[in-house]
């Protein structure tokens, strides 16, 4: 121990830092700085406890992020100037504690004009164009509910900020209301009723023209969700449409009747043609049958004559004998037994009691 005079070991005296000196002369810088800290320990510990959180806070304040669906412009919080020469996309950026990001949407943004609670604005009140069939009227009052989507390209973000600041969404809503109102006055009430898709496409084109001209922003989708007329005018349109449908239905019915009559006529013509073909076939069949019968009879007679002649020649029969033979054969094949022409019946029946047939 160092205390008392009877200790076995003696403490080695370590040179301490002298604040008035110029530092170690032997190059022992480690001991030099250690002595410097120990000499000012009452100052460094509180200073570091304040300095480290401050540095961390400045570090975190200097880092900013841009989301995957966002664009951003950098603003200087000291001077208030916005750097428009570069548009930031998604990622982490070290911009310093004196700057911040102004965020713009990269995705498609919807503007809805309807009576829903989450809509951007109320439904649009406007008028249609003048109907040519009703020259005394100046169009019908109209309530339109629409929603459409717009998208800001990266290169147009500085222009949008320059023209509208942070109020671009409301300005785009105002432009769209004006464009839709102007387009509605170009179409008649019946076109809103019967050509809705055509009207919606025209409104989309007009909205896109307004947003491109004033904000270099494109319209990606437009939908006309609801069209509201005055109740009396709607009832009149419904009645007209019902009459039109009735007229079309009657036209279809007349067309059906006409087709059925045409089918009946075609059926009658086909039946007449079938009868004519059958009559022609029967006539031709009769002629063919008669000709065949006549030919067969002639062939049979020729064959009989030939064979009778050959029979007579073979048996050396005279003409009278041959004729008598033919008569005998013919009488044998006769059905009636009571009638014999020129001679007695040569084939007496065993059951017949008379000796011969009656001569007629």
């Amino acid at each position: 121990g160092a205390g008392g005079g009877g200790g076995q070991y003696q403490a080695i005296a370590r040179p301490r830092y002298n604040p008035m000196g110029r530092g170690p002369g032997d190059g022992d810088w480690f001991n030099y700085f250690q002595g410097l800290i120990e000499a000012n320990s009452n100052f460094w510990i509180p200073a570091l406890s304040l300095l480290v959180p401050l540095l961390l806070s400045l570090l975190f304040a200097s880092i900013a992020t841009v989301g995957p669906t966002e664009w951003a412009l950098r603003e200087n919080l000291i001077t208030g100037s916005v750097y428009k020469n570069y548009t930031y996309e998604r990622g982490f950026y070290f911009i310093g504690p004196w700057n911040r990001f102004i965020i713009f949407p990269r995705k498609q943004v919807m503007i809805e004009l309807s009576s829903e609670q989450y809509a951007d604005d109320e439904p649009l009140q406007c008028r249609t164009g003048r109907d040519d069939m009703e020259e005394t009227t100046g169009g019908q009052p109209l309530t339109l509910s629409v929603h459409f989507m717009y998208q800001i390209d990266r290169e147009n973000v500085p222009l949008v900020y320059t023209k509208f600041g942070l109020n671009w969404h409301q300005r785009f809503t105002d432009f769209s209301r004006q464009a839709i109102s102007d387009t509605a006055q170009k179409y008649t009430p019946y076109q809103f009723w019967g050509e809705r898709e055509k009207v919606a496409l025209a409104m989309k084109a007009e909205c896109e023209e307004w947003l491109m001209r004033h904000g270099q922003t494109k319209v990606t989708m437009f939908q006309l969700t609801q069209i509201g007329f005055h109740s009396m005018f709607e009832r009149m349109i419904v009645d007209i449409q019902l009459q039109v449908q009735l007229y079309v239905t009657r036209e279809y019915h007349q067309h059906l009747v006409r087709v059925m009559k045409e089918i009946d006529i075609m059926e009658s013509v086909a039946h007449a043609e079938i009868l004519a073909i059958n009559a022609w076939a029967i006539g031709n069949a009769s002629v063919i049958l008669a000709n065949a019968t006549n030919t067969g009879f002639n062939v049979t007679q020729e064959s009989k004559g030939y064979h009778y002649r050959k029979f007579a020649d073979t048996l050396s029969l005279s003409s009278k004998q041959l004729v008598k033979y033919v008569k005998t054969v013919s009488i044998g094949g006769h059905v009636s037994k009571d009638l014999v022409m020129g001679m007695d019946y040569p084939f007496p029946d065993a059951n017949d009691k008379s000796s011969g047939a009656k001569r007629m």
Side-chain angles (χ1 to χ4, degrees), residues 115-187:
S115 56
E116 300 292 339
Q117 62 179 3
Y118 52 80
D120 297 276
D121 208 343
E122 295 292 328
L124 183 63
Q125 304 292 331
C126 56
R127 295 186 70 87
T128 66
R130 182 176 63 86
D131 193 348
D132 294 336
M133 295 186 296
E134 299 178 0
E135 297 181 357
T136 57
T137 64
Q140 294 291 334
L142 190 66
T143 302
L144 297 178
S145 295
V146 302
H147 73 263
F148 66 93
M149 305 187 76
Y150 69 86
Q151 189 172 22
I152 304 175
D153 293 331
R154 181 178 184 178
E155 61 272 13
N156 296 323
V157 172
L159 177 64
V160 171
Y161 180 78
T162 301
K163 285 189 173 183
F164 311 120
L166 299 178
N167 199 31
W168 73 86
H169 187 79
Q170 183 59 44
R171 295 300 303 274
F172 289 167
T173 303
D174 296 339
F175 290 150
S176 63
R177 292 181 68 92
Q178 184 63 43
I180 295 171
S181 179
D182 292 346
T183 307
Q185 298 179 21
K186 299 177 182 179
Y187 294 91

Side-chain angles (χ1 to χ4, degrees), residues 15-255:
R16 300 189 61 84
Y17 170 73
N18 182 9
M20 300 303 295
R22 296 184 178 181
D26 56 356
D28 191 0
W29 289 101
F30 177 78
N31 292 330
Y32 172 76
F33 284 108
Q34 185 178 9
L36 180 64
I37 293 173
E38 290 178 355
N40 299 278
S41 59
N42 294 331
F43 169 76
W44 286 110
I45 293 176
L48 290 176
S49 63
L50 294 176
L51 183 61
V52 171
L54 179 62
L55 291 177
L56 292 176
S57 300
L58 290 177
L59 179 62
F60 287 128
S62 301
I63 298 176
T65 61
V66 179
T69 60
E70 296 173 339
W71 304 118
L73 295 177
R74 183 164 57 92
E75 179 186 14
N76 192 307
L77 297 175
I78 298 176
T79 61
S81 60
V82 177
Y83 301 94
K84 305 173 187 176
N85 56 348
Y86 184 77
T87 301
Y88 293 84
E89 58 179 348
R90 61 182 179 180
F92 291 89
Y93 299 93
F94 185 83
I95 59 174
W98 54 88
N99 292 315
R100 70 167 184 172
F101 278 146
I102 302 175
I103 301 300
F104 290 82
R106 183 176 182 175
K107 64 181 184 301
Q108 299 182 65
V109 182
M110 184 174 71
I111 293 179
E112 181 170 357
L113 307 178
S114 68
S115 56
E116 300 292 339
Q117 62 179 3
Y118 52 80
D120 297 276
D121 208 343
E122 295 292 328
L124 183 63
Q125 304 292 331
C126 56
R127 295 186 70 87
T128 66
R130 182 176 63 86
D131 193 348
D132 294 336
M133 295 186 296
E134 299 178 0
E135 297 181 357
T136 57
T137 64
Q140 294 291 334
L142 190 66
T143 302
L144 297 178
S145 295
V146 302
H147 73 263
F148 66 93
M149 305 187 76
Y150 69 86
Q151 189 172 22
I152 304 175
D153 293 331
R154 181 178 184 178
E155 61 272 13
N156 296 323
V157 172
L159 177 64
V160 171
Y161 180 78
T162 301
K163 285 189 173 183
F164 311 120
L166 299 178
N167 199 31
W168 73 86
H169 187 79
Q170 183 59 44
R171 295 300 303 274
F172 289 167
T173 303
D174 296 339
F175 290 150
S176 63
R177 292 181 68 92
Q178 184 63 43
I180 295 171
S181 179
D182 292 346
T183 307
Q185 298 179 21
K186 299 177 182 179
Y187 294 91
T188 64
Y190 298 100
Q191 288 178 306
F192 277 93
W193 187 272
E195 301 177 7
R196 182 169 181 166
E197 183 177 359
K198 177 181 178 181
V199 176
L201 290 175
M203 289 181 175
K204 176 186 177 182
E206 188 70 15
C207 286
E208 187 165 16
E209 195 275 332
W210 273 72
L211 295 187
M212 286 297 294
R213 179 174 53 181
H214 296 286
Q216 294 298 314
T217 302
K218 58 185 179 181
V219 176
T220 58
M221 188 275 292
F222 186 95
Q223 186 172 7
L224 186 57
T225 56
Q226 186 176 4
I227 300 175
F229 289 101
H230 193 274
S231 58
M232 294 182 59
F233 183 72
E234 286 191 351
R235 286 196 297 269
M236 182 182 69
I237 291 180
V238 171
D239 293 338
I240 292 174
Q241 291 297 320
L242 288 176
Q243 293 300 321
V244 171
Q245 293 296 326
L246 181 61
Y247 174 76
V248 173
T249 303
R250 288 177 177 175
E251 280 191 342
Y252 285 148
H253 179 70
Q254 292 177 359
H255 180 69

